[in-house]
Structure formats: structure tokens, C-alpha cells
Amino acid sequence: MAKDYGEMEDSNPSGNPYIRNLADPARRVFVRGGMAAAVAGVLSPLLGGCATGPGPASGPLIGFKGVPVSTADAVTVPEGYTATPAFMWGEPVGVPGNMPAFRPDGSNSAADQEVQMGMHHDALAYFPLEGSRRGLLVMNHEYTDDGLLHTDGTRTWSAEKTRKSIAAHGVSVIEIEERGGAWSMVRPSRYARRITAGSPMRIAGPAAGHAMMRTTADPTGTRSLGTLNNCANGVTPWGTYLTGEENFAFYFNGPEKPDAHQRRWGLRPRGRNYRWHEHDERFDALKHPNEFNRFGWVVEIDPMDPSMTPVKRTALGRAAHEGAWTAQTRDGRVVVYMGEDAAFEYIYKFVSRDPVRPGGFTANRELLDHGTLYVARFEADGSGRWLELKAGTGPLNAENGFTNQGDVVIKSRQASDLLGATKMDRPEWTAVDTRTGEIYCTLTNNSQRGAKDRPGADAANPRRNNVMGQIIKWKEQGDFDGRAFTWTHFVLAGDPQNERAEARGNVKGDPYACPDGIWFDARGVLWIQTDAHATVMYKGEFARLGSNVMLAADPATGDTRRFLVGPPNCEVTGVMCTPDLRTMFVNIQHPGETPTDRSDPDHPSRFSSWPSGVAGARPRSATVVVRRRDGGIIGT
Ligand code: FEO
Ligand code: CA
Ligand code: CA
């Protein structure tokens, strides 16, 4: 049954609408009556905007004129909009007394980088301090291009370079404010914070203390260092930030002959050649094999408390994590939807045991440690089931290596294999349409589908050599904690004019490839971001699609319109609006990236010098602040 906002808000067991509505910007626009009065200070501009602006009730959901494809070294947005680069790699985040200026030649030290914006921006979230005028912007820095990070790139390698590369990963928390329509960083700020691949973390949940999590440096298996390859994200109803650790295997030096567990998790000699292990031996799995198990988790961060130790929430399972988007059951429990971005991996959901309590992180500090983890199985008839990942259930027994729940969450891939979950085409972000109760997940692509000795096409992943990707959506039976669901495809991506049937999409409107980031704004617009890699872009069947883009889609009709085109060879990723929907933050990752992912420092990019536009300058990941010239609501 369709669930609307009123139903969800009325069922709030906390009796504290302020907490829930502040936590999820997507919910704020729909508060009514007494609740609106309670948060009037925060919401009044928003409610005003909704009353007067065009929206679902008063006009088409999407009102802007779409932009054409482009390969220009610029960010293109529709007529009447501005897109201003801000919050770039290397800017000081505003830690009081420690704000080293960015040096464009890559000569900032590792210590500088530890208090500067990281590289390769990914998912982001806005947490209001004063509604839509001042807030915290929290964002992931997924990985580094070490060719651009250091003055002489990777020609030499050292402990200092290792430390700088570690420092350029992780998460930034910055305070930002709007004045006269322009946003800037508040510096210094008591909230400003960098969390890096070297920051202290706490390990919580069923894997905490497990034998596979113990290392020489941490015999307790409860304290680790660092979060890395932070890709997509989530926001909890109690106002914290969730960040997913994606391709952690790239950073480790593994054995020539990995064991079965290491092989299943992609550990290999020298990883993706980050060379961290040469100067930081915890990344050498030959010396410290269990350090590898301490990554691949969803990490919870309270952005309001800069002294808070981030927590690895192992009850949510280990994966090459993407999004961790949340929903709430009618009785107030939190549900987290998660994709694992690797070919033939799975979609997961976690349902908390306990309801959310009022009082922010302090009142919910263990909420994500207790609950039930499931993995999805999509049947050919359009039905689906959530298979419980619980030690002692079905094949998850001692004989198969699952004696406790710690075993299950550390080896969630092996557990999901045994349960017969559906092997998907690289699940990326998840999003929840709270109007309809439908959950969306991007399946970005999977060129291995149908290849020799690889799984063939199935109903949910219907295309062999799937280079274009698709978006799947489902509706739970009953509430969000339902064990069964019905599913369909929102779209098969790709140009409907494509000559090759397997790459032909059914997009209604502007075609695109490789959907990755997705987010519903408070009006119900589905924003879709793309990540076609530099190795395929602009060639063959990608030729007509230009650079990576962000589009707006109407979930009811499927109509899709191109809203933003990024600079060449970038990924467009990370999107959220202020509660009043008059400012949108979008991240541009790795503009001008070389197909090898490692740039030449003497010739930083032959594709892009965005955002500076100075010939030969190092391109920089940055946030783009999108506004309407008339101050109106984005997308109308
Ligand atoms: Fe980091 Fe799966 O994109
Ligand atoms: Ca992604
Ligand atoms: Ca991607």
C-alpha cells in the first residue's frame, strides 16, 4: 500500500518531529500543522516556496529547459541558472589556527593536506545549522590521483607521499553560509574537520572483537585507523552521516596466492598500486592479513560533534559499499538500503531492532548495532524476497564457516552466495521515494554480464555486455521491513537510437549511460548522475552522450531531462539541496582524468583544467553551487 508523508509523520513514535525532519531534508518540505509550527524558524522560507512555487500540485514537476550534450571544459546548466565552483581539493577546511593555503603545484605537505579538502569529491549531504542559510556540508573524498597530488607525481615514492595520499582520502566536514545568493566556507569553524584514511575509528556491532578483526596494533579488534574509498552515503533520521567504504581492496598488498576469503574479496598483489604498504605496513596484508577485514564497512559520523570518533557499523555487513540510504518503518525503526558496487555483487538492507529515539546521536548511539541484515533476490516474475543473513540459519552454519554473526557480516559475500541472492550489475546508490514507498537502485553497468564463465542475463539484469546500466526499483510488501517485494525497472539506460540492441535504452527524454548517484528532492524529483569512465566516453556508442551529466526525472512518468553537464572526463556525483530547494550542491569528481587514473604532473590533463581554466593547471575536484538567477526553486 502506498505510504504518504502524513502517515509516516503521524506514526513517529518519538513524538519529536524536529529530530526526524531535520535529519532528512527530503522530509522537511511536507511537515504540516503543529509540526510546522515547531520548526517554523527553520522551515518558513521552504514552506513559503512551496506555497507559491510550481510543484506537483500546480504544474509540471520539471520546468527547466534541458541542456544539450557537451564536451566543453565547463559545467553547463540551464538558462537562468548559475553553477559556481567552490570547496575545491586543497582548500583549508577551517580548523581554527591551522589553515594552510592551497598550493597549485602540489607542494602542500601531508600535514597541510590533513586540514585541507580531500581529493576526488563524491557523495555529500547538507546539515542545516540555520535552515537554508548556514549549515554543515559533509562530503566523501573517494580516492586520489597521486600524479596530481604530489609535485612530481609518483616518480618517487616516500613516507611523506604515503601520508599525504592517506590524508587526501576520507571525509570533510565544513561549515558554509549564504550571503546575497553566494555561498562560502566559514573559516575558522568549530565544526571544521577532516577524517582521513588514518583517523581513529571505533568498530561496533557483531564483528567488533572478532578474531578476524584483531591485529598486532589492536588486539581487541575494536579500534582501527581510517576510512577510505568513501563513495556514496546516507543520512540517518537522528542527524548523522553514513559513508560507505567502497574499493578498499585496491589499497592492500596481497599475496601472490590469496586464500579463498581473500580471493572472494579481491585482495591481490600490490592492489591498485597505491604503494601505501611500502611505508605503512598495515596495508601490507602479507604482514597484517586482518587489517584488510577492518575495511568495507558503513561508517557513522556525527557532523555536529567534531570530537566524535567515527564508528564502523558492522551489523550492516561488509561490502564494497556504496549508498546507505535510510527509510523508517511506521513504528519508527530505521531501514538502511545498501548497494555493493562490484560486478555480480548484491543489494542489502538492514532493519534496526529498536525504534529511533529523540535526542540525536546521543540517544541513538547503538541503534545501528542491533537488527537484521538481508540480501535481495529478484525473481523473474517481478516478485522478490529478502533473504536473512543470520548465523545458524539455513546454510549459514559452522560447517560452512559461520559460527557467529561476526562471521556472517565479515564474510557477507560468501554468505550471500550460499543463500542464492541475485548477482547484480554493480549496485551503486539507493534512494527512497517517500511518496510511493518505492526504493530505487542504480546498476551502473557490467560488461562482464554474459561473458565466458560469468553469469548470464537474468530478469533484473537483462542485458549481456551491459555497458549502459539500468535503474531498478521495488516496493516492499507492507512496511519497509517487509520480507517480500515487487520490482520493475525504472529505466534501461542508453541511447534509444543505438544501433546495437544490447546497448539500446528506453530512456524517455534525454539519453544517458551508467547511472550512479541518485537522490529524491523534497518535491519528488529523481536526480540521476552518471559515471561513464574515460576509457569508454566519447567513443562508439557513447559518442552521442558527451561528458558525464546530471538529469532530472519525473518518477511517475519517467520523463528525463538533462540538467547539468560536467567537464570532460569527470564523474558527476553527490547531490543535495538546502531545505528550501533554492540551492543545490553537486560534486564534480576527477575532471580531466586520464584513462589510466594516474596523471602526468608535468602535463596535468590534456582534457581539462577545470575549474581554474588556466592552461596547464591541475584540474581539481570541487563542489558546484547551483542557484537560479531569480532565487527560485531548483528544477521548476
Ligand atoms: Fe565509487 Fe561505485 O562508484
Ligand atoms: Ca559511485
Ligand atoms: Ca561509479
Side-chain angles (χ1 to χ4, degrees):
M1 195 184 83
K3 178 189 295 225
D4 68 20
Y5 257 111
E7 193 178 26
M8 294 189 63
E9 295 302 344
D10 291 346
S11 68
N12 175 8
S14 68
N16 189 341
Y18 187 80
I19 302 285
R20 290 186 59 194
N21 285 291
L22 276 192
D24 183 351
R27 289 179 170 165
R28 278 172 222 145
V29 76
F30 290 99
V31 294
R32 294 184 179 95
M35 186 178 299
V39 293
V42 172
L43 291 173
S44 48
L46 171 67
L47 295 172
C50 282
T52 56
S58 59
L61 191 62
I62 299 168
F64 62 88
K65 183 164 169 255
V67 296
V69 295
S70 171
T71 55
D73 191 16
V75 170
T76 312
V77 287
E79 258 172 52
Y81 284 80
T82 58
T84 311
F87 322 137
M88 304 164 198
W89 158 54
E91 281 190 52
V93 293
V95 173
N98 195 2
M99 295 185 281
F102 174 68
R103 296 198 199 136
D105 63 353
S107 64
N108 280 110
S109 67
D112 292 346
Q113 181 62 74
E114 281 164 3
V115 289
Q116 294 172 324
M117 298 291 289
M119 238 187 183
H120 285 17
H121 300 24
D122 209 306
L124 58 76
Y126 176 85
F127 294 83
L129 292 170
E130 286 177 61
S132 299
R133 204 194 71 75
R134 189 171 69 91
L136 301 182
L137 195 65
V138 186
M139 74 175 72
N140 295 339
H141 303 288
E142 186 183 21
Y143 65 105
T144 54
D145 178 344
D146 284 86
L148 297 182
L149 184 63
H150 316 287
T151 304
D152 69 345
T154 55
R155 277 182 211 126
T156 60
W157 196 246
S158 66
E160 168 75 4
K161 284 182 169 179
T162 300
R163 186 177 153 202
K164 188 176 182 187
S165 187
I166 285 173
H169 281 69
V171 176
S172 288
V173 180
I174 57 175
E175 181 178 345
I176 58 172
E177 67 176 354
E178 179 261 338
R179 285 187 189 193
W183 285 82
S184 58
M185 229 190 271
V186 177
R187 280 189 291 232
S189 166
R190 61 175 288 257
Y191 299 101
R193 183 175 192 190
R194 278 303 320 285
I195 295 160
T196 76
S199 302
M201 305 271 139
R202 185 164 72 81
I203 299 167
H210 190 284
M212 291 176 76
M213 300 289 276
R214 297 179 201 151
T215 64
T216 316
D218 171 33
T220 71
T222 59
R223 301 260 158 200
S224 67
L225 291 178
T227 183
L228 53 75
N229 216 264
N230 305 83
C231 200
N233 68 353
V235 175
T236 66
W238 53 96
T240 59
Y241 184 79
L242 302 177
T243 179
E245 300 180 332
E246 192 189 6
N247 293 307
F248 58 92
F250 290 177
Y251 298 83
F252 286 86
N253 180 45
E256 295 291 338
K257 289 189 179 162
D259 66 27
H261 171 67
Q262 293 170 329
R263 201 165 47 245
R264 184 67 185 85
W265 288 89
L267 184 62
R268 58 188 177 189
R270 293 168 296 285
R272 227 356 137 80
N273 209 21
Y274 276 92
R275 300 180 65 181
W276 291 4
H277 67 280
E278 295 173 21
H279 296 281
D280 188 342
E281 68 174 39
R282 73 194 172 96
F283 293 100
D284 191 345
L286 304 180
K287 293 181 178 146
H288 303 285
N290 283 352
E291 184 70 11
F292 182 65
N293 296 325
R294 288 143 66 94
F295 290 89
W297 303 104
V298 170
V299 180
E300 183 177 10
I301 296 165
D302 181 1
M304 299 295 168
D305 177 6
S307 69
M308 178 258 190
T309 303
V311 186
K312 299 206 169 188
R313 295 297 181 191
T314 67
L316 277 59
R318 183 157 167 259
H321 270 293
E322 279 286 337
W325 207 254
T326 62
Q328 256 186 292
T329 60
R330 291 187 193 94
D331 62 5
R333 287 168 295 144
V334 71
V335 179
V336 189
Y337 289 100
M338 299 169 282
E340 166 153 39
D341 179 12
F344 307 110
E345 296 302 340
Y346 303 111
I347 295 174
Y348 295 92
K349 88 166 171 180
F350 172 84
V351 181
S352 72
R353 182 189 67 190
D354 302 319
V356 177
R357 295 185 187 87
F361 179 64
T362 311
N364 296 284
R365 45 192 323 131
E366 292 181 6
L367 198 91
L368 293 176
D369 293 337
H370 305 285
T372 310
L373 184 65
Y374 301 94
V375 63
R377 182 181 165 92
F378 294 82
E379 307 290 356
D381 65 359
S383 68
R385 285 182 292 139
W386 289 106
L387 311 171
E388 189 174 352
L389 286 156
K390 186 178 177 189
T393 304
L396 305 184
N397 53 32
E399 197 175 305
N400 288 324
F402 301 97
T403 55
N404 55 53
Q405 191 62 14
D407 292 327
V408 172
V409 294
I410 294 167
K411 299 184 284 185
S412 47
R413 283 185 180 176
Q414 295 97 312
S416 301
D417 295 344
L418 282 170
L419 293 182
T422 303
K423 295 179 180 298
M424 309 298 288
D425 286 341
R426 298 186 50 200
E428 291 256 14
W429 290 46
T430 50
V432 180
D433 184 350
T434 41
R435 283 166 181 69
T436 61
E438 288 174 319
I439 301 100
Y440 288 60
C441 181
T442 46
L443 301 165
T444 194
N445 60 57
N446 183 0
S447 59
Q448 291 300 299
R449 177 72 65 184
K452 189 167 179 291
D453 300 327
R454 306 291 268 165
D458 60 29
N461 306 278
R463 295 189 285 188
R464 293 163 48 89
N465 185 21
N466 178 16
V467 295
M468 294 292 168
Q470 67 265 26
I471 301 177
I472 199 165
K473 65 174 185 171
W474 64 91
K475 180 84 181 283
E476 307 284 15
Q477 201 172 84
D479 208 344
F480 287 112
D481 64 344
R483 295 285 300 265
F485 57 88
T486 52
W487 67 269
T488 186
H489 288 114
F490 175 69
V491 71
L492 301 181
D495 187 346
Q497 307 300 321
N498 200 311
E499 298 76 12
R500 194 168 67 86
E502 279 169 347
R504 205 172 290 150
N506 59 10
V507 183
K508 283 172 67 181
D510 294 330
Y512 59 94
C514 306
D516 189 335
I518 44 170
W519 177 69
F520 279 100
D521 75 17
R523 293 193 308 121
V525 178
L526 176 64
W527 296 91
I528 301 168
Q529 303 175 311
T530 71
D531 179 20
H533 194 261
T535 47
V536 299
M537 255 191 279
Y538 315 121
K539 295 192 276 279
E541 50 205 16
F542 290 84
R544 286 195 292 260
L545 300 175
S547 298
N548 278 314
V549 299
M550 182 169 74
L551 311 100
D554 182 334
T557 63
D559 290 336
T560 300
R561 204 171 300 176
R562 194 179 299 107
F563 179 81
L564 177 152
V565 186
N569 291 24
C570 81
E571 172 185 350
V572 181
T573 181
V575 53
M576 192 176 276
C577 288
T578 49
D580 65 3
L581 300 186
R582 293 169 198 272
T583 300
M584 173 182 268
F585 303 104
V586 178
N587 272 341
I588 300 295
Q589 187 191 85
H590 65 66
E593 185 170 68
T594 64
T596 62
D597 298 353
R598 290 288 199 289
S599 297
D600 173 355
D602 292 338
H603 306 281
S605 174
R606 60 192 168 90
F607 307 100
S608 174
S609 57
W610 190 86
S612 75
V614 175
R618 290 168 197 235
R620 296 162 77 183
S621 292
T623 305
V624 173
V625 180
V626 178
R627 302 263 301 172
R628 256 170 66 165
R629 289 186 195 279
D630 65 3
I633 291 174
I634 307 285
T636 55

PDB file of all heavy atoms in Angstrom, residues 122 142 231 246 322 341 426 428-429 444-445 514-517 530-532 571 573 589, ligand 3:
ATOM      1  N   ASP A 122      33.036  13.023  -3.640  1.00  0.00           N
ATOM      2  CA  ASP A 122      31.965  12.083  -4.042  1.00  0.00           C
ATOM      3  C   ASP A 122      30.658  12.501  -3.372  1.00  0.00           C
ATOM      4  O   ASP A 122      30.308  13.689  -3.417  1.00  0.00           O
ATOM      5  CB  ASP A 122      32.398  10.641  -3.738  1.00  0.00           C
ATOM      6  CG  ASP A 122      31.753   9.647  -4.704  1.00  0.00           C
ATOM      7  OD1 ASP A 122      30.519   9.652  -4.827  1.00  0.00           O
ATOM      8  OD2 ASP A 122      32.489   8.878  -5.342  1.00  0.00           O
ATOM      9  N   GLU A 142      36.732  10.199  -2.420  1.00  0.00           N
ATOM     10  CA  GLU A 142      36.763   8.769  -2.684  1.00  0.00           C
ATOM     11  C   GLU A 142      38.177   8.215  -2.846  1.00  0.00           C
ATOM     12  O   GLU A 142      38.536   7.235  -2.232  1.00  0.00           O
ATOM     13  CB  GLU A 142      35.945   8.453  -3.933  1.00  0.00           C
ATOM     14  CG  GLU A 142      35.813   6.949  -4.175  1.00  0.00           C
ATOM     15  CD  GLU A 142      35.061   6.633  -5.445  1.00  0.00           C
ATOM     16  OE1 GLU A 142      34.977   7.498  -6.325  1.00  0.00           O
ATOM     17  OE2 GLU A 142      34.574   5.501  -5.562  1.00  0.00           O
ATOM     18  N   CYS A 231      32.485   6.417  -0.967  1.00  0.00           N
ATOM     19  CA  CYS A 231      31.815   6.663  -2.236  1.00  0.00           C
ATOM     20  C   CYS A 231      30.443   7.280  -2.013  1.00  0.00           C
ATOM     21  O   CYS A 231      30.315   8.474  -1.882  1.00  0.00           O
ATOM     22  CB  CYS A 231      31.765   5.364  -3.026  1.00  0.00           C
ATOM     23  SG  CYS A 231      31.504   5.697  -4.768  1.00  0.00           S
ATOM     24  N   GLU A 246      34.170   1.792  -0.283  1.00  0.00           N
ATOM     25  CA  GLU A 246      33.948   1.004  -1.493  1.00  0.00           C
ATOM     26  C   GLU A 246      35.142   0.094  -1.832  1.00  0.00           C
ATOM     27  O   GLU A 246      35.271  -0.997  -1.280  1.00  0.00           O
ATOM     28  CB  GLU A 246      33.567   1.909  -2.673  1.00  0.00           C
ATOM     29  CG  GLU A 246      33.046   1.117  -3.883  1.00  0.00           C
ATOM     30  CD  GLU A 246      32.872   1.969  -5.132  1.00  0.00           C
ATOM     31  OE1 GLU A 246      33.241   3.140  -5.121  1.00  0.00           O
ATOM     32  OE2 GLU A 246      32.386   1.439  -6.150  1.00  0.00           O
ATOM     33  N   GLU A 322      28.466   1.174  -1.320  1.00  0.00           N
ATOM     34  CA  GLU A 322      28.026   2.410  -1.952  1.00  0.00           C
ATOM     35  C   GLU A 322      27.092   3.118  -0.974  1.00  0.00           C
ATOM     36  O   GLU A 322      27.454   3.367   0.156  1.00  0.00           O
ATOM     37  CB  GLU A 322      27.334   2.090  -3.281  1.00  0.00           C
ATOM     38  CG  GLU A 322      28.331   1.851  -4.391  1.00  0.00           C
ATOM     39  CD  GLU A 322      28.979   3.142  -4.884  1.00  0.00           C
ATOM     40  OE1 GLU A 322      28.391   4.223  -4.711  1.00  0.00           O
ATOM     41  OE2 GLU A 322      30.078   3.065  -5.439  1.00  0.00           O
ATOM     42  N   ASP A 341      28.939  -2.038  -5.032  1.00  0.00           N
ATOM     43  CA  ASP A 341      29.366  -1.807  -6.408  1.00  0.00           C
ATOM     44  C   ASP A 341      30.543  -2.683  -6.781  1.00  0.00           C
ATOM     45  O   ASP A 341      31.704  -2.292  -6.651  1.00  0.00           O
ATOM     46  CB  ASP A 341      29.708  -0.336  -6.627  1.00  0.00           C
ATOM     47  CG  ASP A 341      30.169  -0.105  -8.067  1.00  0.00           C
ATOM     48  OD1 ASP A 341      29.999  -1.022  -8.885  1.00  0.00           O
ATOM     49  OD2 ASP A 341      30.694   0.975  -8.348  1.00  0.00           O
ATOM     50  N   ARG A 426      26.515  -4.311 -10.679  1.00  0.00           N
ATOM     51  CA  ARG A 426      27.202  -3.229  -9.951  1.00  0.00           C
ATOM     52  C   ARG A 426      26.232  -2.243  -9.282  1.00  0.00           C
ATOM     53  O   ARG A 426      26.088  -1.097  -9.721  1.00  0.00           O
ATOM     54  CB  ARG A 426      28.173  -2.489 -10.882  1.00  0.00           C
ATOM     55  CG  ARG A 426      29.281  -3.360 -11.432  1.00  0.00           C
ATOM     56  CD  ARG A 426      30.293  -2.545 -12.215  1.00  0.00           C
ATOM     57  NE  ARG A 426      30.736  -1.392 -11.443  1.00  0.00           N
ATOM     58  CZ  ARG A 426      31.311  -0.312 -11.962  1.00  0.00           C
ATOM     59  NH1 ARG A 426      31.530  -0.238 -13.258  1.00  0.00           N
ATOM     60  NH2 ARG A 426      31.678   0.675 -11.187  1.00  0.00           N
ATOM     61  N   GLU A 428      24.990   0.647  -7.260  1.00  0.00           N
ATOM     62  CA  GLU A 428      25.603   1.875  -6.742  1.00  0.00           C
ATOM     63  C   GLU A 428      24.679   2.491  -5.695  1.00  0.00           C
ATOM     64  O   GLU A 428      24.455   1.896  -4.659  1.00  0.00           O
ATOM     65  CB  GLU A 428      25.887   2.837  -7.914  1.00  0.00           C
ATOM     66  CG  GLU A 428      27.004   2.323  -8.831  1.00  0.00           C
ATOM     67  CD  GLU A 428      28.322   3.066  -8.611  1.00  0.00           C
ATOM     68  OE1 GLU A 428      28.456   3.783  -7.603  1.00  0.00           O
ATOM     69  OE2 GLU A 428      29.222   2.928  -9.458  1.00  0.00           O
ATOM     70  N   TRP A 429      24.092   3.648  -5.979  1.00  0.00           N
ATOM     71  CA  TRP A 429      23.320   4.370  -4.968  1.00  0.00           C
ATOM     72  C   TRP A 429      21.902   3.798  -4.820  1.00  0.00           C
ATOM     73  O   TRP A 429      21.333   3.251  -5.764  1.00  0.00           O
ATOM     74  CB  TRP A 429      23.177   5.836  -5.350  1.00  0.00           C
ATOM     75  CG  TRP A 429      24.433   6.644  -5.275  1.00  0.00           C
ATOM     76  CD1 TRP A 429      25.669   6.299  -5.745  1.00  0.00           C
ATOM     77  CD2 TRP A 429      24.570   7.954  -4.728  1.00  0.00           C
ATOM     78  NE1 TRP A 429      26.550   7.315  -5.517  1.00  0.00           N
ATOM     79  CE2 TRP A 429      25.912   8.345  -4.907  1.00  0.00           C
ATOM     80  CE3 TRP A 429      23.684   8.842  -4.119  1.00  0.00           C
ATOM     81  CZ2 TRP A 429      26.386   9.594  -4.476  1.00  0.00           C
ATOM     82  CZ3 TRP A 429      24.161  10.081  -3.702  1.00  0.00           C
ATOM     83  CH2 TRP A 429      25.500  10.440  -3.872  1.00  0.00           C
ATOM     84  N   THR A 444      25.054   0.312 -12.352  1.00  0.00           N
ATOM     85  CA  THR A 444      25.745   1.274 -13.216  1.00  0.00           C
ATOM     86  C   THR A 444      26.168   0.699 -14.563  1.00  0.00           C
ATOM     87  O   THR A 444      26.092   1.362 -15.575  1.00  0.00           O
ATOM     88  CB  THR A 444      26.910   1.939 -12.464  1.00  0.00           C
ATOM     89  OG1 THR A 444      27.354   3.075 -13.184  1.00  0.00           O
ATOM     90  CG2 THR A 444      28.063   0.991 -12.218  1.00  0.00           C
ATOM     91  N   ASN A 445      26.603  -0.542 -14.598  1.00  0.00           N
ATOM     92  CA  ASN A 445      26.953  -1.259 -15.826  1.00  0.00           C
ATOM     93  C   ASN A 445      27.598  -2.575 -15.431  1.00  0.00           C
ATOM     94  O   ASN A 445      27.903  -2.789 -14.240  1.00  0.00           O
ATOM     95  CB  ASN A 445      27.903  -0.457 -16.745  1.00  0.00           C
ATOM     96  CG  ASN A 445      29.222  -0.109 -16.082  1.00  0.00           C
ATOM     97  OD1 ASN A 445      29.951  -0.978 -15.633  1.00  0.00           O
ATOM     98  ND2 ASN A 445      29.531   1.172 -16.018  1.00  0.00           N
ATOM     99  N   CYS A 514      25.270   4.736 -17.740  1.00  0.00           N
ATOM    100  CA  CYS A 514      25.975   4.491 -16.476  1.00  0.00           C
ATOM    101  C   CYS A 514      25.444   5.329 -15.313  1.00  0.00           C
ATOM    102  O   CYS A 514      26.180   6.140 -14.711  1.00  0.00           O
ATOM    103  CB  CYS A 514      27.474   4.704 -16.648  1.00  0.00           C
ATOM    104  SG  CYS A 514      28.177   3.742 -17.999  1.00  0.00           S
ATOM    105  N   PRO A 515      24.157   5.173 -14.954  1.00  0.00           N
ATOM    106  CA  PRO A 515      23.626   5.888 -13.795  1.00  0.00           C
ATOM    107  C   PRO A 515      24.371   5.473 -12.531  1.00  0.00           C
ATOM    108  O   PRO A 515      24.729   4.314 -12.363  1.00  0.00           O
ATOM    109  CB  PRO A 515      22.161   5.444 -13.741  1.00  0.00           C
ATOM    110  CG  PRO A 515      22.124   4.124 -14.453  1.00  0.00           C
ATOM    111  CD  PRO A 515      23.182   4.225 -15.511  1.00  0.00           C
ATOM    112  N   ASP A 516      24.614   6.438 -11.665  1.00  0.00           N
ATOM    113  CA  ASP A 516      25.395   6.156 -10.447  1.00  0.00           C
ATOM    114  C   ASP A 516      24.736   6.847  -9.258  1.00  0.00           C
ATOM    115  O   ASP A 516      23.960   6.247  -8.528  1.00  0.00           O
ATOM    116  CB  ASP A 516      26.839   6.610 -10.698  1.00  0.00           C
ATOM    117  CG  ASP A 516      27.801   6.174  -9.613  1.00  0.00           C
ATOM    118  OD1 ASP A 516      27.361   5.941  -8.474  1.00  0.00           O
ATOM    119  OD2 ASP A 516      29.011   6.090  -9.887  1.00  0.00           O
ATOM    120  N   GLY A 517      24.956   8.160  -9.075  1.00  0.00           N
ATOM    121  CA  GLY A 517      24.307   8.862  -7.972  1.00  0.00           C
ATOM    122  C   GLY A 517      22.828   9.081  -8.254  1.00  0.00           C
ATOM    123  O   GLY A 517      22.454   9.431  -9.379  1.00  0.00           O
ATOM    124  N   THR A 530      25.698  10.539 -13.660  1.00  0.00           N
ATOM    125  CA  THR A 530      26.302   9.460 -14.442  1.00  0.00           C
ATOM    126  C   THR A 530      27.812   9.369 -14.245  1.00  0.00           C
ATOM    127  O   THR A 530      28.478  10.339 -13.908  1.00  0.00           O
ATOM    128  CB  THR A 530      25.996   9.624 -15.945  1.00  0.00           C
ATOM    129  OG1 THR A 530      26.738  10.726 -16.473  1.00  0.00           O
ATOM    130  CG2 THR A 530      24.512   9.813 -16.188  1.00  0.00           C
ATOM    131  N   ASP A 531      28.307   8.158 -14.467  1.00  0.00           N
ATOM    132  CA  ASP A 531      29.729   7.858 -14.299  1.00  0.00           C
ATOM    133  C   ASP A 531      30.172   6.878 -15.381  1.00  0.00           C
ATOM    134  O   ASP A 531      30.439   5.717 -15.109  1.00  0.00           O
ATOM    135  CB  ASP A 531      29.976   7.277 -12.894  1.00  0.00           C
ATOM    136  CG  ASP A 531      31.440   6.913 -12.680  1.00  0.00           C
ATOM    137  OD1 ASP A 531      32.305   7.438 -13.421  1.00  0.00           O
ATOM    138  OD2 ASP A 531      31.712   6.109 -11.773  1.00  0.00           O
ATOM    139  N   ALA A 532      30.217   7.383 -16.630  1.00  0.00           N
ATOM    140  CA  ALA A 532      30.858   6.600 -17.685  1.00  0.00           C
ATOM    141  C   ALA A 532      32.353   6.870 -17.579  1.00  0.00           C
ATOM    142  O   ALA A 532      32.763   8.008 -17.346  1.00  0.00           O
ATOM    143  CB  ALA A 532      30.336   7.011 -19.053  1.00  0.00           C
ATOM    144  N   GLU A 571      33.446  12.670 -13.259  1.00  0.00           N
ATOM    145  CA  GLU A 571      32.219  11.995 -12.840  1.00  0.00           C
ATOM    146  C   GLU A 571      31.380  13.050 -12.129  1.00  0.00           C
ATOM    147  O   GLU A 571      31.912  13.835 -11.341  1.00  0.00           O
ATOM    148  CB  GLU A 571      32.553  10.847 -11.879  1.00  0.00           C
ATOM    149  CG  GLU A 571      31.314  10.214 -11.252  1.00  0.00           C
ATOM    150  CD  GLU A 571      31.638   9.140 -10.206  1.00  0.00           C
ATOM    151  OE1 GLU A 571      32.821   8.751 -10.100  1.00  0.00           O
ATOM    152  OE2 GLU A 571      30.710   8.712  -9.512  1.00  0.00           O
ATOM    153  N   THR A 573      28.846  13.480  -9.308  1.00  0.00           N
ATOM    154  CA  THR A 573      28.443  12.611  -8.192  1.00  0.00           C
ATOM    155  C   THR A 573      28.210  13.429  -6.940  1.00  0.00           C
ATOM    156  O   THR A 573      28.953  14.369  -6.674  1.00  0.00           O
ATOM    157  CB  THR A 573      29.492  11.515  -7.935  1.00  0.00           C
ATOM    158  OG1 THR A 573      29.031  10.689  -6.861  1.00  0.00           O
ATOM    159  CG2 THR A 573      30.857  12.086  -7.578  1.00  0.00           C
ATOM    160  N   GLN A 589      33.804  15.206  -9.717  1.00  0.00           N
ATOM    161  CA  GLN A 589      34.963  14.404  -9.332  1.00  0.00           C
ATOM    162  C   GLN A 589      35.894  14.190 -10.523  1.00  0.00           C
ATOM    163  O   GLN A 589      35.443  13.953 -11.642  1.00  0.00           O
ATOM    164  CB  GLN A 589      34.506  13.036  -8.790  1.00  0.00           C
ATOM    165  CG  GLN A 589      35.660  12.222  -8.215  1.00  0.00           C
ATOM    166  CD  GLN A 589      35.282  10.787  -7.913  1.00  0.00           C
ATOM    167  OE1 GLN A 589      35.321   9.918  -8.789  1.00  0.00           O
ATOM    168  NE2 GLN A 589      34.919  10.515  -6.659  1.00  0.00           N
TER     169      GLN A 589
HETATM  170 CA    CA B   3      30.734   4.675 -10.342  1.00  0.00          CA
END
